[in-house]
Amino acid sequence: MIIRSLRFKMVAIGKCSSIYRTSPEFDFPETSSRKLGLSKLPDKSFGFSVSSSEVKTSFIGPLRAIEASRTSHVNGKAEKFQWAGCDSNEDLPTNDCNGFAGKGTPQMSTIGNSTNIVWHKCSVEKCDREELLQQRGCVIWVTGLSGSGKSTLACALGRGLHARGKLTYILDGDNVRHGLNRDLSFRAEDRAENIRRTGEVAKLFADAGVICIASLISPYRKERDACRALLAEGDFIEVFMDVPLHVCEARDPKGLYKLARAGKIKGFTGVDDPYEPPQTSEIVLRQNQGICDSPNDLADIVISYLDKKGYLKA
């Protein structure tokens, strides 16, 4: 029997304190199997079953389908490379093994301050992952003023797509600043770097075949356009929460507008820092005659767009 307990502790992240995190801790009974590093697992299904020496899985079919397509094409001809030391049945494409084979001279690149780097191309590509997931990877970039409903929409959208069997991940502006971007302030240059990093992470999710929902104020048009340029045409879907400032300020769910008006927060978007509205958003969500649609209704608009553009199938 496994007994799981959750322990809460308060930690500080960068300049943020009073952030609670949970850490799972497992307590095992003292048995001879524990001394051997073994423990009895609960009788649950993990997507596979073991019978004698045979392992049966519910996902081996798609993996074999990808494996069958691992032949790379070099100079118009299909070639395979035998990695020395591998089983004779384990052929690896040339693409995967150049580093081990010692064949060819890789082309070095300099990107920013990074020098002598080489892009390593693998045989399982985005289209293979999309086929496995039965969806197309993309980035849904939700932008708007604080209090416009970005995070609420992102959660409703993630929930709606999950109900349809689609894999999503949300990059929320505040959440990202808890870890990856905790070293950044809200100065203009740090805000630009915050968006750049988030855009690069969103790109990786899209390349993995995931529908990534990025929910950030992202006030500057230049930085949003730079994130768009990271992806293939059509894979960056900008959603503008077109909610007037006075409505956002009346909502003030975090009390930030009140603090900004009192001078306790400097550089707050909409108060003493500008917000540059998008000019070519794929989707614009606004109030209908002063009445706000429900988050689920707004999410359905985005889902309909994804369905129409073919993102909900491979």
Side-chain angles (χ1 to χ4, degrees):
M1 178 178 179
I2 298 177
I3 302 175
R4 180 175 181 175
S5 61
L6 291 178
R7 297 183 180 178
F8 295 85
K9 61 181 179 179
M10 191 163 57
V11 299
I13 299 178
K15 296 181 180 180
C16 301
S17 59
S18 301
I19 299 175
Y20 287 92
R21 300 181 65 182
T22 61
S23 58
E25 306 232 350
F26 295 89
D27 298 315
F28 297 95
E30 184 67 33
T31 63
S32 58
S33 61
R34 180 184 177 184
K35 296 176 182 178
L36 296 175
L38 304 173
S39 63
K40 184 178 179 182
L41 294 175
D43 185 17
K44 294 183 180 178
S45 173
F46 290 91
F48 64 87
S49 60
V50 180
S51 175
S52 184
S53 61
E54 181 182 5
V55 179
K56 298 180 180 180
T57 77
S58 59
F59 46 82
I60 197 67
L63 293 178
R64 283 176 175 167
I66 291 177
E67 188 68 21
S69 66
R70 294 180 71 191
T71 300
S72 64
H73 292 268
V74 181
N75 297 327
K77 296 181 180 180
E79 295 185 5
K80 286 189 176 182
F81 176 79
Q82 176 74 30
W83 185 5
C86 288
D87 185 271
S88 60
N89 293 325
E90 293 294 329
D91 291 333
L92 295 177
T94 306
N95 230 3
D96 287 346
C97 298
N98 280 340
F100 295 98
K103 295 182 179 179
T105 302
Q107 183 175 355
M108 298 292 180
S109 300
T110 297
I111 308 294
N113 292 326
S114 298
T115 60
N116 300 323
I117 56 175
V118 179
W119 183 269
H120 188 91
K121 186 175 176 62
C122 298
S123 57
V124 178
E125 299 184 343
K126 181 183 179 184
C127 59
D128 301 308
R129 295 184 282 271
E130 291 176 332
E131 182 67 25
L132 190 67
L133 295 171
Q134 285 299 295
Q135 64 184 48
R136 287 171 56 195
C138 63
V139 174
I140 302 171
W141 194 278
V142 187
T143 178
L145 291 168
S146 177
S148 61
K150 301 181 301 299
S151 296
T152 302
L153 171 67
C155 290
L157 182 56
R159 188 166 53 246
L161 289 169
H162 182 80
R164 288 166 173 76
K166 303 305 172 185
L167 182 61
T168 66
Y169 194 83
I170 297 173
L171 294 175
D172 182 83
D174 279 7
N175 291 359
V176 172
R177 282 182 176 272
H178 275 69
L180 177 66
N181 294 342
R182 65 183 178 183
D183 59 320
L184 301 177
S185 71
F186 286 91
R187 297 192 304 269
E189 59 272 23
D190 279 0
R191 283 189 148 192
E193 175 62 12
N194 178 59
I195 299 306
R196 188 196 70 81
R197 292 184 192 178
T198 305
E200 290 286 356
V201 173
K203 175 188 174 182
L204 294 177
F205 273 109
D207 188 59
V210 175
I211 298 173
C212 180
I213 307 166
S215 170
L216 306 93
I217 293 176
S218 43
Y220 310 131
R221 194 176 297 123
K222 178 182 176 181
E223 277 68 45
R224 295 195 303 265
D225 289 344
C227 291
R228 180 188 292 274
L230 293 173
L231 289 102
E233 185 175 356
D235 285 356
F236 184 93
I237 302 159
E238 190 174 55
V239 179
F240 175 32
M241 302 297 292
D242 189 7
V243 180
L245 175 61
H246 72 273
V247 174
C248 295
E249 191 164 357
R251 293 174 178 173
D252 202 9
K254 303 175 186 177
L256 298 177
Y257 283 102
K258 183 177 180 180
L259 292 174
R261 293 296 183 189
K264 296 181 179 180
I265 297 178
K266 301 296 183 182
F268 190 75
T269 303
V271 177
D272 55 354
D273 202 65
Y275 177 80
E276 300 172 357
Q279 297 176 330
T280 57
S281 290
E282 282 73 14
I283 302 172
V284 179
L285 301 176
R286 56 171 60 94
Q287 289 181 325
N288 183 16
Q289 297 180 348
I291 301 175
C292 295
D293 292 327
S294 72
N296 289 336
D297 289 338
L298 296 177
D300 285 341
I301 294 173
V302 181
I303 292 173
S304 295
Y305 177 92
L306 294 175
D307 192 22
K308 180 180 178 181
K309 296 295 183 178
Y311 284 95
L312 302 186
K313 58 185 177 182

